[in-house]
Amino acid sequence: MNTFVLSNYVAAVPEMFMGLMVLITLLIGVFSPEKSAGRNANIFAKLSIVGALLLVVMRWPDGMTHAAFPRVSDSDALSAMFVVDNFAATMKVLLLTAALAAVSISRDFLKNTKLHKPEFYSLILLCITGMMLMISAFDLLIVYMGMEMMSFALYILAAFKRDDAKSSEAGLKYFVLGSMASGIMLYGMSLLYGVAGSTSFLAIENALTAIMVDPSAHATLSVAMVLVFTGFAFKISAAPFHMWTPDVYEGSPTPVTAFMSVLPKVAAFALLMRMLTTPFSSMVHEWSQIVIALAILTMAVGALLAILQDNLKRLLAYSSIGHVGFMLVGLAAGTQGAMQSVIVYLIMYAVMTLGAFSVLLSLQSRGKYVESISDIAGLSKTAPSHAGAMLVFMFSLAGIPPLAGFWAKLYVFQEAVAAGLVWLAVAGALFSVIAAYYCLRVVKAMFLDDGGMKVDVGASLPLRVMVFVLAMATLGLGLFPQGVAEAAQVAAQSLF
């Protein structure tokens, strides 16, 4: 048994590598001179992410499912607590690539606000490790461990600017509400364990299939599923569990906002898709109704409340909520094509959202980073290249062709129609039109309004390069979406 266990640890090498890098990053802070500690940690964090990315690519499953941490009671690979297949590998590549971009656009802000400390990068790597565990989780124990590892790091990162009241408030709100959501999810998991007698995804799936005919057990399962969905809804900012998002996004340091707007959603949606297609596969009728309700409400909240925002970080928070609603439209179908459409959407969403934040992190006005729409008025005259990049990102977020956001929405709407949810696709299209208004507000301010304050583009060359790369990626993914769609199709096949 020891040989079997040790040989299967190899599947989790990227996660173990990242865990080791977390500890080394802390040591860099201890042994580096104070002036260079932040810079050294930044470089090491980026090298660590690249290293983990290479490990994922080098150990690509090639259609096979690899397992780690097997249960003592069963040597079957699918009874393991941790699996790596094409889906997991694809989502980890997306996660690590987005993490590398998020870390790359953070350095200037952290340095200028005197927050450039090794602890920041250690928390980032710890958060990424938790997310990677979530993506490969095949057991409720790994699910909860990965989710809490991610969440506790994010709570601290949100309050990382300790001398700022808004940042401290953001961290406290996130911690209190996040802890409540985790408790609700844990109670749902305990009900699942009570009904199925196991925490393994495969065992739960087999048990649920066998007992679905029992009305009393069916009621317990429905309650368990609702509780688990409540926890997921909080993590992905789905309404009505979105209440923390605008305040936390506004109060957190902007690099943290950029990080948490993308990466936790990639990890949470990856885990949600795996759970819906394995333990909850026999309850597709029940969970599809929940997903449809969440999608409608989330799209409405994201589109309508974003119109009222003048703060750009709050606007992007509601934009993020709206895009979660669009992803839930695709997820509602429950088919392989539906999962493919959500993977495509996550890829497109990551690029355009990180791009929008990269522009915000490049612009200062009177020594402070821009945060309101009025701050970027007339930006096309003072910084035409950044205004052009922001135009690309805003048009993509609005879903205007031929940019990436258009194809992302088209894919999920097509899957909804194919599943007979025509009315849901129509509702999504209507909310997409409404959401275009707040994106056009930003464009109008940059190109048509007169700027009251001079905006200074004091960004370093690496940050300018990242703005350009993300803008070209948004345009390129819109012009050539086929490659992403094909990769997403192969990944989605692993779930079925």
Side-chain angles (χ1 to χ4, degrees):
M1 186 183 70
N2 291 336
T3 304
F4 177 77
V5 173
L6 289 175
S7 66
N8 280 268
Y9 283 163
V10 178
V13 164
E15 286 74 16
M16 292 188 286
F17 171 79
M18 286 297 287
L20 179 62
M21 296 304 103
V22 172
L23 300 178
I24 296 177
T25 307
L26 287 174
L27 293 177
I28 288 176
V30 174
F31 294 105
S32 294
E34 186 176 353
K35 290 185 179 180
S36 60
R39 182 195 63 193
N40 295 342
N42 176 275
I43 295 171
F44 186 79
K46 287 188 282 191
L47 290 175
S48 299
I49 295 171
V50 171
L53 185 59
L54 290 175
L55 286 172
V56 171
V57 174
M58 288 168 58
R59 300 197 57 80
W60 201 270
D62 293 328
M64 299 292 292
T65 297
H66 302 283
F69 316 127
R71 294 180 159 277
V72 175
S73 59
D74 194 344
S75 61
D76 182 2
L78 290 180
S79 293
M81 304 172 75
F82 182 98
V83 296
V84 179
D85 51 16
N86 280 326
F87 173 75
T90 301
M91 299 308 291
K92 286 178 187 178
V93 167
L94 171 59
L95 179 80
L96 291 168
T97 305
L100 184 61
V103 171
S104 298
I105 65 177
S106 300
R107 182 177 179 274
D108 283 15
F109 181 97
L110 296 172
K111 188 176 179 181
N112 293 336
T113 54
K114 299 180 180 179
L115 296 174
H116 203 211
K117 302 180 185 299
E119 305 92 89
F120 178 87
Y121 298 105
S122 183
L123 289 167
I124 289 288
L125 295 181
L126 180 64
C127 192
I128 295 170
T129 305
M131 294 174 187
M132 293 174 72
L133 288 174
M134 289 169 62
I135 290 173
S136 283
F138 209 70
D139 189 283
L140 295 180
L141 296 177
I142 299 294
V143 168
Y144 199 74
M145 184 175 69
M147 191 169 288
E148 291 308 290
M149 189 181 296
M150 173 191 77
S151 297
F152 275 101
L154 287 175
Y155 300 152
I156 301 170
L157 286 169
F160 200 75
K161 197 174 183 180
R162 293 180 300 174
D163 297 331
D164 184 75
K166 282 188 175 181
S167 182
S168 298
E169 180 185 355
L172 183 60
K173 283 183 178 179
Y174 197 16
F175 171 70
V176 172
L177 294 174
S179 299
M180 181 180 68
S182 296
I184 292 172
M185 176 179 269
L186 185 60
Y187 186 56
M189 290 178 179
S190 68
L191 289 178
L192 281 178
Y193 174 74
V195 172
S198 175
T199 56
S200 168
F201 281 9
L202 188 63
I204 293 172
E205 180 182 31
N206 294 334
L208 298 194
T209 302
I211 65 177
M212 276 292 288
V213 294
D214 183 357
S216 60
H218 191 278
T220 304
L221 288 175
S222 297
V223 172
M225 187 172 60
V226 169
L227 294 175
V228 171
F229 262 91
T230 299
F232 272 110
F234 180 90
K235 300 302 178 183
I236 62 176
S237 305
F241 307 100
H242 68 285
M243 70 292 289
W244 62 275
T245 310
D247 291 341
V248 172
Y249 276 34
E250 181 184 7
S252 301
T254 306
V256 177
T257 306
F259 183 87
M260 70 170 58
S261 67
V262 174
L263 278 84
K265 291 179 177 56
V266 171
F269 264 104
L271 175 56
L272 181 58
M273 284 188 278
R274 192 179 291 280
M275 290 191 71
L276 293 182
T277 54
T278 306
F280 291 134
S281 60
S282 60
M283 301 182 69
V284 61
H285 178 72
E286 287 80 1
W287 63 251
S288 63
Q289 302 304 311
I290 299 175
V291 172
I292 290 171
L294 288 175
I296 292 291
L297 190 56
T298 305
M299 288 189 294
V301 168
L304 297 175
L305 294 186
I307 295 174
L308 307 176
Q309 307 305 316
D310 290 318
N311 184 284
L312 284 167
K313 289 167 73 174
R314 291 183 72 89
L315 185 148
L316 288 172
Y318 281 108
S319 171
S320 172
I321 293 168
H323 284 286
V324 167
F326 296 130
M327 284 184 257
L328 290 173
V329 169
L331 198 63
T335 62
Q336 180 181 312
M339 302 304 165
Q340 176 189 354
S341 71
V342 175
I343 297 170
V344 171
Y345 205 116
L346 284 168
I347 295 171
M348 308 292 195
Y349 169 80
V351 173
M352 55 192 180
T353 301
L354 287 174
F357 277 105
S358 70
V359 174
L360 295 187
L361 289 166
S362 302
L363 305 175
Q364 296 185 56
S365 178
R366 297 178 181 175
K368 294 183 178 181
Y369 282 89
V370 300
E371 284 199 2
S372 67
I373 294 178
S374 59
D375 289 342
I376 60 172
L379 185 65
S380 61
K381 300 181 180 66
T382 56
S385 60
H386 284 72
M390 196 64 165
L391 172 73
V392 171
F393 300 133
M394 286 294 108
F395 275 10
S396 184
L397 288 169
I400 296 175
L403 300 172
F406 167 76
W407 292 105
K409 292 179 180 179
L410 181 62
Y411 279 124
V412 295
F413 293 160
Q414 282 179 334
E415 290 304 321
V417 171
L421 301 172
V422 178
W423 64 272
L424 184 59
V426 171
L430 290 175
F431 284 122
S432 184
V433 172
I434 296 172
Y437 174 78
Y438 66 77
C439 297
L440 295 176
R441 278 185 65 204
V442 176
V443 174
K444 171 185 173 293
M446 292 189 298
F447 288 89
L448 300 179
D449 293 351
D450 293 326
M453 295 185 290
K454 180 176 175 59
V455 175
D456 173 38
V457 183
S460 63
L461 179 60
L463 181 52
R464 291 171 184 259
V465 170
M466 283 303 303
V467 172
F468 175 78
V469 169
L470 290 168
M472 290 298 102
T474 303
L475 182 59
L477 289 173
L479 295 175
F480 307 101
Q482 296 87 354
V484 170
E486 291 172 0
Q489 182 180 17
V490 173
Q493 287 173 351
S494 300
L495 292 172
F496 291 87

